[in-house]
């Protein structure tokens, strides 16, 4: 799966996961948040979630996965 980590209007990270067949820029056009924090691919393996890679087509610079992205995404799956 692919993901884009946005910053919401309060400045908090907001991950959105979507299928690999959708291009990063196509998905980005559908989301109102103005700031992209990071982007890449997310997989679940025996050690848990892992984020890696980059998105070349989100703007003038390449947006990459950050080391803390997997923890932020995993946090959203925890029961509150």
């Amino acid at each position: 799966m692919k993901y884009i980590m946005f910053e919401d209007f309060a400045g908090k990270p907001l991950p959105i996961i979507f299928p690999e067949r959708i291009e990063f820029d196509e998905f980005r056009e559908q989301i109102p948040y103005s700031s992209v924090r990071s982007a890449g691919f997310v997989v679940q393996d025996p050690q848990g979630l892992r984020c890696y890679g980059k998105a070349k087509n989100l703007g003038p610079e390449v947006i990459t996965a950050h080391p803390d992205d997997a923890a932020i995404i995993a946090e959203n799956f925890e029961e509150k």
Side-chain angles (χ1 to χ4, degrees), residues 11-31:
K12 293 179 62 177
L14 174 73
I16 300 180
I17 300 170
F18 56 99
E20 287 190 35
R21 69 177 176 272
I22 300 172
E23 295 298 326
F24 285 105
D25 59 342
E26 292 172 341
F27 190 79
R28 171 68 178 108
E29 291 173 3
Q30 306 302 314
I31 306 300

Side-chain angles (χ1 to χ4, degrees), residues 1-73:
M1 300 290 282
K2 290 180 178 177
Y3 76 96
I4 299 176
M5 185 80 65
F6 295 94
E7 284 188 9
D8 69 12
F9 299 118
K12 293 179 62 177
L14 174 73
I16 300 180
I17 300 170
F18 56 99
E20 287 190 35
R21 69 177 176 272
I22 300 172
E23 295 298 326
F24 285 105
D25 59 342
E26 292 172 341
F27 190 79
R28 171 68 178 108
E29 291 173 3
Q30 306 302 314
I31 306 300
Y33 298 112
S34 61
S35 182
V36 173
R37 180 182 178 274
S38 57
F41 298 86
V42 59
V43 296
Q44 185 169 8
D45 59 23
Q47 288 75 37
L49 291 177
R50 183 170 51 91
C51 295
Y52 64 94
K54 55 190 168 191
K56 299 178 186 175
N57 54 356
L58 281 178
E61 71 271 351
V62 174
I63 306 292
T64 62
H66 285 201
D68 61 344
D69 288 350
I72 292 169
I73 293 170

